[in-house]
Amino acid sequence: MPRSATAPVTPDSLFAIDTLLDEEERAVRETVRRLVDTVIKPHVADWYEHANLPVRDVAVELGRVGLLGMSLTGYGCAGMSATAYGLACLELEAADSGVRSLVSVQSSLAMHSIHAYGSDEQRASWLPQLAAGVVIGCFGLTEADAGSNPAGMRTTARRDGSDWLIDGTKMWITNGSVADVAVVWARTEDGIRGFLVPTSTPGFAASTVKGKLSLRASVTSELVLDGVRLPADAVLPGAQGLGSALGALNEARFGIVFGALGAARDCLLATLDYAAGREQFGRPIAGFQLTQAKLAGMAVRYGTGVLLALHLGRTKDAGGLTPQLISAGKLNNVRESLAIARTCRTVLGANGISGEYPVMRHANNLESVLTYEGTSEIHALVLGQALTGLPAFS
Ligand code: TGC
Ligand code: FAD
């Protein structure tokens, strides 16, 4: 008998999570859960296996229910709370980190940069189409030799008359080869600036990174900008210095604090079901004390992660969220989610490595999530600096 028919407690009900959500937040969660169950989950294992996420089709579905740029206001965006956005990320990542990544990059990196740093004209011409999912955006900060240290970027933008000329390459860029517009960060005479680059501009090329063993249901690309000529108004006027790029990262990292727990929850639920049905030595493996210790430990890790995420959400909605608290959330929740996925894998035994179950896929994805948007080491150093006053980055 499946565990869900008899068990009185789920990882969420154990922590009475529903009592912490208002009606609107529960409604958002249900809407995203329904969308994920009908449009994404039935296909995602196949997308992952064949590394072929249909970005445009999925983006239109997400846009249709208002999930793109959902915490931004105006320009066709839903204007929901940060907490609601976080809960949406959690439900999306319960399907696959790659789908949450699509939403993070479109919403928190591309759209947020345009919303926060763009001119009125830039906002009006890009945001409504990005919100609808008919236009895809990407965010080019990382380079092959400048990952954790984006200040070391080599991409340059220099003036040529009133135009800008951009040269350089960006690496590991989510959605890069399907994007219509790239937010590209480049070094100028006046420091690092952000530019809106229509990907149809001559000199722009993008190729998809092959052979990934993680985030396979996500398009990851290299961008090449070879003498890309842009008009004067391609620069984001409000984006001055690396701090602006890092400001956008705050938004995406916040979504990951929630999102990673979705992958953990999906692993945990699959594992509870499996452990109830799988018998060895004449009894369900769920009845062994060692298995129960694992399940209890994982439920506690998951529940405390959700409580931390909700605290960050409430703090952000109240206007008080600091980058340090985001680092604490990302460090803890991704690390714990990865630990949960790996432990779930052990409970499933050999079946744990099979694509018939979601566990190994989530575990593999979480390896990327641990690295992107600031590695766990970088977030530890952010916290170390906050606690000691001593920067230890270099
Ligand atoms: P540092 O000198 O400390 O700071 C430079 C300027 O930035 C300001 N700042 C921030 N502003 C807003 N939010 C933050 N979190 C900020 N952190 C720093 C800072 O005040 C300063 O401003 P100003 O006015 O004084 O100039 O910079 P640093 O070069 O020493 O670097 C600090 C460090 C290492 C923490 C930073 O470089 C960093 O976070 N590195 C990690 C890079 C990273 O996370 N890359 C992510 C790329 S995008 C991605 O991965 C997408 S994955 C797809 C998906 O999301 O799903
Ligand atoms: P490195 O910076 O080379 O780090 C390697 C190791 O050294 C890590 O363990 C790191 O923690 C450690 N290290 C580095 N510096 C220090 C230090 N000072 N002290 C201690 N340890 C240190 N980037 C974008 O701009 N846009 C995207 O859309 C995007 N999407 C991505 C999608 C995927 C699937 C992946 C995997 C990455 C993506 N990235 C993107 C890039 C991502 O942000 C970088 O991979 C990340 O910032 C780390 O950079 P790196 O890979 O160059 O590693």
Side-chain angles (χ1 to χ4, degrees):
M1 177 180 299
R3 181 202 148 273
S4 52
T6 54
V9 165
T10 68
D12 281 294
S13 72
L14 177 66
F15 284 82
I17 297 301
D18 277 15
T19 66
L20 303 174
L21 307 182
D22 66 24
E23 208 175 305
E24 183 178 88
E25 290 161 353
R26 284 199 288 269
V28 166
R29 193 182 56 176
E30 290 319 308
T31 302
V32 184
R33 216 174 259 184
R34 239 189 342 267
L35 180 86
V36 161
D37 284 347
T38 53
V39 177
I40 296 171
K41 274 198 170 171
H43 311 290
V44 75
D46 185 65
W47 295 338
Y48 185 94
E49 186 176 348
H50 298 104
N52 68 349
L53 176 72
V55 174
R56 287 191 178 277
D57 295 347
V58 172
V60 166
E61 293 288 346
L62 297 166
R64 200 172 46 75
V65 293
L67 282 176
L68 300 175
M70 67 179 275
S71 57
L72 302 175
T73 49
Y75 306 99
C77 303
M80 308 287 282
S81 68
T83 306
Y85 170 55
L87 291 165
C89 287
L90 193 155
E91 295 305 326
L92 291 165
E93 199 149 353
D96 195 272
S97 303
V99 178
R100 195 269 308 138
S101 223
L102 191 172
V103 172
S104 292
V105 170
Q106 181 93 344
S107 305
S108 293
L109 296 181
M111 294 177 73
H112 171 85
S113 295
I114 297 170
H115 199 271
Y117 311 127
S119 64
D120 287 342
E121 293 73 27
Q122 288 168 335
R123 291 190 197 117
S125 68
W126 289 109
L127 289 177
Q129 299 185 77
L130 286 159
V134 294
V135 159
I136 304 295
C138 69
F139 183 88
L141 179 65
T142 303
E143 299 181 359
D145 295 328
S148 296
N149 179 28
M153 71 174 63
R154 296 211 185 103
T155 298
T156 58
R158 61 185 170 81
R159 286 286 197 177
D160 185 40
S162 66
D163 290 349
W164 290 97
L165 275 180
I166 307 191
D167 288 283
T169 58
K170 296 287 175 182
M171 190 57 189
W172 301 111
I173 308 306
T174 301
N175 286 346
S177 36
V178 284
D180 303 287
V181 61
V183 175
V184 172
W185 298 89
R187 187 177 294 291
T188 75
E189 271 181 9
D190 303 320
I192 291 171
R193 306 288 308 267
F195 294 85
L196 291 184
V197 183
T199 56
S200 55
T201 312
F204 181 99
S207 56
T208 302
V209 174
K210 302 284 185 201
K212 282 183 303 170
L213 301 179
S214 170
L215 260 283
R216 289 179 58 77
S218 175
V219 174
T220 314
S221 313
E222 179 181 28
L223 312 183
V224 177
L225 298 105
D226 183 8
V228 169
R229 180 177 289 278
L230 296 169
D233 63 4
V235 70
L236 292 166
Q240 309 275 353
L242 182 61
S244 300
L246 295 173
L249 297 188
N250 290 337
E251 301 299 313
R253 291 167 176 175
F254 169 80
I256 290 172
V257 172
F258 280 84
L261 296 164
R265 187 190 70 198
D266 200 50
C267 290
L268 201 39
L269 292 176
T271 301
L272 286 164
D273 261 348
Y274 185 86
R278 172 73 177 171
E279 292 196 0
Q280 286 294 285
F281 299 96
R283 51 195 286 219
I285 60 170
F288 294 127
Q289 290 183 354
L290 288 176
T291 308
Q292 290 195 3
K294 288 181 188 176
L295 296 172
M298 291 191 288
V300 170
R301 285 174 158 195
Y302 168 78
T304 51
V306 175
L307 296 177
L308 176 60
L310 286 172
H311 173 59
L312 263 71
R314 303 288 175 227
T315 308
K316 186 166 168 55
D317 283 322
L321 189 58
T322 60
Q324 290 79 16
L325 186 47
I326 297 173
S327 285
K330 198 217 172 216
L331 178 63
N332 184 74
N333 284 6
V334 179
R335 191 169 59 188
E336 294 298 279
S337 295
L338 182 54
I340 289 171
R342 286 174 177 160
T343 306
C344 285
R345 214 290 305 149
T346 69
V347 177
L348 268 67
N351 279 321
I353 71 159
S354 164
E356 278 183 35
Y357 297 87
V359 173
M360 188 81 170
R361 175 166 54 80
H362 285 307
N364 284 349
N365 283 339
L366 288 166
E367 294 289 346
S368 285
V369 182
L370 192 71
T371 285
Y372 67 32
E373 291 291 353
T375 65
S376 48
E377 291 81 8
I378 289 298
H379 290 296
L381 292 176
V382 169
L383 294 173
Q385 179 175 8
L387 292 166
T388 65
L390 300 172
F393 296 102
S394 52

